Every structure is written in structure tokens, then in C-alpha cells.
């Protein structure tokens, strides 16, 4: 098991100038950091990779589909451009030295057309990720598709639907990211959601129900840790929270108040909680 934290706690877009943060993350017990790749063009992958290596940290990468693109658009040209965008993103993920690319990589966060998803949209997501399979195989990158809560997407809300999507895609490098924050809203039982994800589970976002410090709210952590042990899950437990006043990023995550004394206390107290309690499970 590896312990990670999303850089969104400190910065809206992790870059070379944020490398001085890394020794502190290592000192406080993290094995790695989750960083965003929003746009592959001009992404300083080599510089960031060097910084990570120098400080003995690994990384995972997250992203979202930019507004204007969508893998499930009815416009074939938009789908084609989204596949091209994701292909370049996967290549940037490999260049920065990561092998795990996670997020709601189907349609933009917050895109809610006011109806249920259609069979066509489902099929376009399947075809899109099948088409990207060759890039995943060539780079060794695994993609972890993330169900989000109903206020952020209509397309994929539960681990059961996520597992069905992975089955339909049928590529060994495509799996699921299950985030306790979203599961707390959508699932009857969070631990059961991890069991439902089962062999498709590639990545875990460990977030408290209010995006505050893991262990400070009502997520049933012991049951979650037990489920992960039963699955022999050996991937990342990554704390995902957000700075309280980071402009667009805080707004995208609907952070409208302080969730802890400081954003970084979510990381540092959270990782102590996760390590202590995961070890006991
Ligand atoms: C991304 O990992 C996530 O959980 C989303 O809620 C961010 O908008
Ligand atoms: Mn998440």
C-alpha cells in the first residue's frame, strides 16, 4: 500500500516551482503526490520527473475532461478531438514517470444535460477507451475511471456502473478509481462499493465526507480498510482535498469554507490516521 496526497491542497496546477514542497511531503510520510496534467502541450514532464526522483517520491496523475471536449459527445469530431487529447495526456503521464492516470475521464465535471445517460453515450465511452487501449499498452499507463456524485456528473455515479463500464471496455489497463467522498453520497454502503469494484479497482481517493481530514467525519473507515484488505488491494490511498481559496480549483470542488485549521493539516493529520488504521485492519 502506498500513501499519496493530491497537490490541489497547495496549488491549482503543480509545476516546477512547486518542487520545494516535495521534501515536506516525504518527511510527513507520503510515498508520492498526485499531480494534474490538464494539457499535454508544454507540460514540463522532465523537470517534474527529475524533482520527484531527487526527493524519492513517486507520483500518480489526475485530470478532468476540459470544457468543449467529451468522449461521449454526439458530435463525432468532438469525440475524435477528445481521444487525441487523452492520447497526448497519457503520453505526458508516462513522461512524468507515472503509471496511474485517474479521474472522471469521460465528460467534463459539472456537465449535466438534465436527463439520464443514453446507450449511445455508454457505447461512445466504451469505443473511446478501446481506441486508447493501444496507447495504454504502449506506455504501460493504467487509467482509473472515477464515478462522481450526481451533482458533478450524470454519466457514472456508482462503483457498479463503473465495473460494468470496465467490463464493456475489456482492456487490462482500464479500471476504476473509487473516491470515498463520492461513494458516501451515492452508495448504500461504501465498503461494499469497493467489493463491487473488485478486480477493476486500480486507485482509491481517501476523502472524508466533507473533503476534510480523513478520520474526522462519518466515513466508516474501518469497514473500507477491511474491504481493501479482503481485495488484497496494494495500490495507492491518496488523500484528495483542495485549498480553501485556490480560485478555479476550490470552486470546481465547491469548497466554500474552511474544512480544517489549514488545508495542509488535512494531508498531514490524514496520512497519520490512514497509516495507523490501515495497519490495524
Ligand atoms: C476528482 O478526483 C474528484 O473527485 C472530483 O470531485 C473533482 O472535481
Ligand atoms: Mn476523487
Amino acid at each position: 500500500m502506498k500513501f499519496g496526497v493530491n497537490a490541489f491542497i497547495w496549488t491549482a496546477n503543480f509545476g516546477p516551482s512547486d518542487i520545494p514542497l516535495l521534501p515536506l511531503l516525504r518527511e510527513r510520510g507520503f510515498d508520492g503526490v498526485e499531480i494534474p496534467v490538464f494539457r499535454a502541450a508544454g507540460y514540463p514532464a522532465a523537470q517534474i520527473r527529475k524533482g520527484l526522483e531527487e526527493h524519492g517520491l513517486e507520483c500518480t496523475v489526475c485530470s478532468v475532461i476540459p470544457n468543449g471536449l467529451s468522449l461521449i459527445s454526439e458530435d463525432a469530431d468532438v469525440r475524435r478531438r477528445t481521444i487525441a487529447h487523452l492520447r497526448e495526456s497519457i503520453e505526458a503521464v508516462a513522461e512524468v514517470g507515472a503509471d496511474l492516470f485517474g479521474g472522471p475521464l469521460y465528460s467534463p465535471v459539472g456537465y449535466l444535460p438534465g436527463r439520464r445517460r443514453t446507450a449511445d453515450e455508454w457505447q461512445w465511452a466504451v469505443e473511446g477507451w478501446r481506441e486508447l487501449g493501444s496507447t495504454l499498452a504502449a506506455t504501460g499507463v493504467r487509467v482509473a475511471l472515477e464515478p462522481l456524485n450526481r451533482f458533478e456528473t450524470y454519466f457514472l455515479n456508482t462503483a457498479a456502473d463503473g465495473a460494468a463500464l470496465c467490463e464493456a471496455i475489456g482492456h487490462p489497463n482500464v479500471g476504476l478509481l473509487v473516491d470515498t467522498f463520492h461513494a458516501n453520497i451515492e452508495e448504500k454502503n461504501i465498503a461494499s462499493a469497493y467489493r463491487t469494484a473488485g478486480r477493476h479497482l486500480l486507485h482509491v481517493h481517501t476523502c472524508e465526507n466533507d473533503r476534510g481530514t480523513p478520520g474526522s467525519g462519518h466515513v466508516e473507515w474501518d469497514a473500507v480498510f477491511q474491504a481493501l484488505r479482503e481485495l488484497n488491494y496494494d495500490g495507492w490511498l491518496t488523500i484528495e482535498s483542495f485549498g480553501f481559496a485556490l480560485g478555479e480549483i476550490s470552486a470546481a470542488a465547491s469548497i466554500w469554507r474552511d474544512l480544517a485549521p489549514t488545508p495542509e493539516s488535512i494531508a498531514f493529520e490524514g496520512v497519520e490516521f490512514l497509516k495507523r488504521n490501515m495497519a490495524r485492519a
Side-chain angles (χ1 to χ4, degrees), residues 192-249:
S192 303
Y194 284 97
R195 292 193 186 91
T196 300
R199 68 185 179 86
H200 298 295
L201 185 68
L202 293 184
H203 196 42
V204 175
H205 278 167
T206 45
C207 310
E208 197 44 89
N209 61 282
D210 63 348
R211 289 281 196 204
T213 311
S216 68
H218 68 240
V219 170
E220 291 175 337
W221 292 103
D222 286 344
V224 169
F225 296 147
Q226 193 58 47
L228 295 175
R229 284 272 183 244
E230 283 167 29
L231 289 170
N232 291 318
Y233 177 76
D234 198 26
W236 290 89
L237 294 188
T238 293
I239 298 173
E240 181 184 52
S241 193
F242 306 87
F244 305 156
L246 279 184
E248 255 182 66
I249 286 293

Side-chain angles (χ1 to χ4, degrees), residues 237-274:
L237 294 188
T238 293
I239 298 173
E240 181 184 52
S241 193
F242 306 87
F244 305 156
L246 279 184
E248 255 182 66
I249 286 293
S250 309
S254 298
I255 307 294
W256 311 125
R257 60 192 166 81
D258 292 358
L259 306 171
T262 61
E264 67 181 6
S265 67
I266 297 173
F268 300 149
E269 288 172 26
V271 72
E272 284 178 19
F273 169 83
L274 294 176

